[in-house]
Amino acid sequence: MSIIDNTVDKELIDLVDSLFGQAADSGEDHRSIWGTLSELGLARLTGDESSGGSGAGWGEAAALLSGAAAKGVPVPYVETDLLAGWLLEQAGLPVDDRPRTVAIVDADGRGHRVAWAREVSSIVVVQAKEDGWAVSDVPAESVEIVDHPALGREPRAGIRVDVAKLDQAESGSLSDAQFAVHQLRGALARSLQTVAALETAADLAKEYVVTRHQFGRPLAKFQSVQNLIVDAVAEATLARSAVDEALYEAIETGLEGPDSVFRVAVAKSVVGRAASVVVRNTHQALGAIGTTEEHSLHKFTNAALTWRSEFGSIRVWEEALGAAAGAGSVDDVWAMVVGAGPVTAPAVGR
């Protein structure tokens, strides 16, 4: 059981489960799913009510994005609401419930591995400036797609925007502190998605080894197979605990508290390492069928591996934890472990 079950209205959880369950069974297109989310007031679930949002919090957002990830339904909710919508509100720019994504671009206007870049209506472009970060809401048709990497079912693409035109567009600005919170939001959202996918992968593997027979008995009767499943479930459970701690921090402080970086760093580290074990063990348990269209396992494992690498790799976040530990005394390290302590957010992007 997750903190989501204890903090979010059960009616919303049931609605999300039903909505994405039906979408998964029918193979519904993400555009149709997005239309349903908009009709239900879920597309901008955490948006400010003054700008047309529903005014919900991190708990409700976690229920929605986890529900989609657990059912294997690709939809740009995280990008639109938790990232792009939040950035536009922080920068004082208008926002609506059209699907959006975020691209952090360099001085030449290039952004890499931008989620849903080819599918959204608008791209919120963020560019570093001397005194902070410039934010512009750019129509998708004004952005050039320069490559189309295929990473699972959620599309990613490299983009290029005309920097000269970007400078002339209506824009807002963010401070370095606000940008750091944006990165924490992305890291936590990806951790929530990853752990939900890992839990489903472990459940699929458990079901398969119980029902699949080999040499006259279920695969689950073989000790080596049992070990694979037990380790996968244990890692997914540990990852859920770490993510719950970070989610509680988000609910309480909006990821602006003194412990926020620590909690998110631990979540990213634990989830990332759990992904290696869960993906390896579940595919070993299922064998070749886990990579075919006949079975859905690969949809969840591919998604988990994609998500865990975004908004900072395992190494980036663990180096931040290591630097914080190495900078203090033994007492400081223990205080960091049991009470969070000071950890500086790494400079991570997509």
Side-chain angles (χ1 to χ4, degrees):
M1 181 174 288
S2 166
I3 187 177
I4 297 171
D5 301 299
N6 297 324
T7 59
V8 179
D9 191 297
K10 188 176 184 302
E11 290 186 3
L12 176 61
I13 295 175
D14 290 343
L15 173 62
V16 166
D17 186 65
S18 174
L19 172 64
F20 291 124
Q22 293 175 13
D25 292 339
S26 65
E28 191 174 351
D29 180 79
H30 71 269
R31 296 178 183 85
S32 175
I33 299 170
W34 191 258
T36 302
L37 291 178
S38 296
E39 291 175 6
L40 294 173
L42 301 177
R44 291 193 56 235
L45 186 57
T46 66
D48 193 278
E49 292 179 271
S50 64
S51 62
S54 297
W58 263 102
E60 291 76 17
L64 179 59
L65 68 89
S66 297
K71 296 296 185 182
V73 177
V75 62
Y77 168 71
V78 168
E79 292 74 18
T80 299
D81 183 32
L82 292 177
L83 301 179
W86 184 85
L87 281 171
L88 291 175
E89 286 185 352
Q90 293 294 305
L93 295 174
V95 57
D96 51 40
D97 63 0
R98 290 181 300 162
R100 285 179 167 83
T101 191
V102 176
I104 300 170
V105 302
D106 58 23
D108 296 323
R110 290 181 175 270
H112 305 284
R113 293 183 60 188
V114 179
W116 296 94
R118 291 176 57 85
E119 308 293 338
V120 295
S121 301
S122 184
I123 298 178
V124 176
V125 176
V126 182
Q127 187 176 35
K129 299 294 184 180
E130 291 183 2
D131 56 348
W133 300 80
V135 178
S136 303
D137 193 16
V138 180
E141 58 268 22
S142 300
V143 176
E144 178 186 359
I145 303 295
V146 295
D147 61 60
H148 322 285
L151 297 170
R153 301 171 71 202
E154 283 202 351
R156 300 290 187 269
I159 70 160
R160 182 168 54 213
V161 295
D162 188 327
V163 176
K165 292 182 179 179
L166 198 62
D167 290 337
Q168 299 170 4
E170 179 183 6
S171 64
S173 62
L174 297 176
S175 66
D176 287 337
Q178 288 173 308
F179 180 77
V181 172
H182 165 263
Q183 297 297 83
L184 290 180
R185 291 172 69 88
L188 175 54
R190 289 293 187 251
S191 296
L192 283 159
Q193 290 176 294
T194 303
V195 75
L198 295 180
E199 289 171 338
T200 298
D203 287 341
L204 289 172
K206 283 191 295 181
E207 179 184 9
Y208 181 83
V209 301
V210 169
T211 57
R212 175 73 173 179
H213 286 66
Q214 193 73 34
F215 305 113
R217 55 178 175 165
L219 287 174
K221 294 295 184 180
F222 293 90
Q223 186 174 4
S224 59
V225 175
Q226 293 173 1
N227 290 339
L228 289 174
I229 301 302
V230 168
D231 285 348
V233 172
E235 288 292 334
T237 302
L238 178 61
R240 171 60 69 184
S241 296
V243 171
D244 274 355
E245 285 291 324
L247 177 57
Y248 179 79
E249 177 72 18
I251 293 171
E252 291 295 305
T253 72
L255 295 179
E256 297 183 39
D259 302 341
S260 296
V261 176
F262 176 84
R263 299 299 181 200
V264 172
V266 170
K268 280 286 287 181
S269 171
V270 175
V271 168
R273 293 191 175 276
S276 297
V277 176
V278 176
V279 171
R280 180 193 66 213
N281 287 18
T282 55
H283 277 283
Q284 284 183 353
L286 269 72
I289 195 173
T291 63
T292 67
E293 285 300 316
E294 183 179 350
H295 203 279
S296 60
L297 177 64
H298 61 93
K299 297 177 181 178
F300 297 95
T301 54
N302 282 340
L305 293 177
T306 296
W307 289 328
R308 77 164 181 176
S309 66
E310 296 181 321
F311 289 96
S313 64
I314 304 171
R315 177 176 178 177
V316 165
W317 287 99
E318 289 182 350
E319 284 180 346
L321 291 170
S329 64
V330 173
D331 291 339
D332 293 332
V333 173
W334 180 245
M336 184 183 77
V337 171
V338 300
V343 180
T344 302
V348 297
R350 277 182 161 67

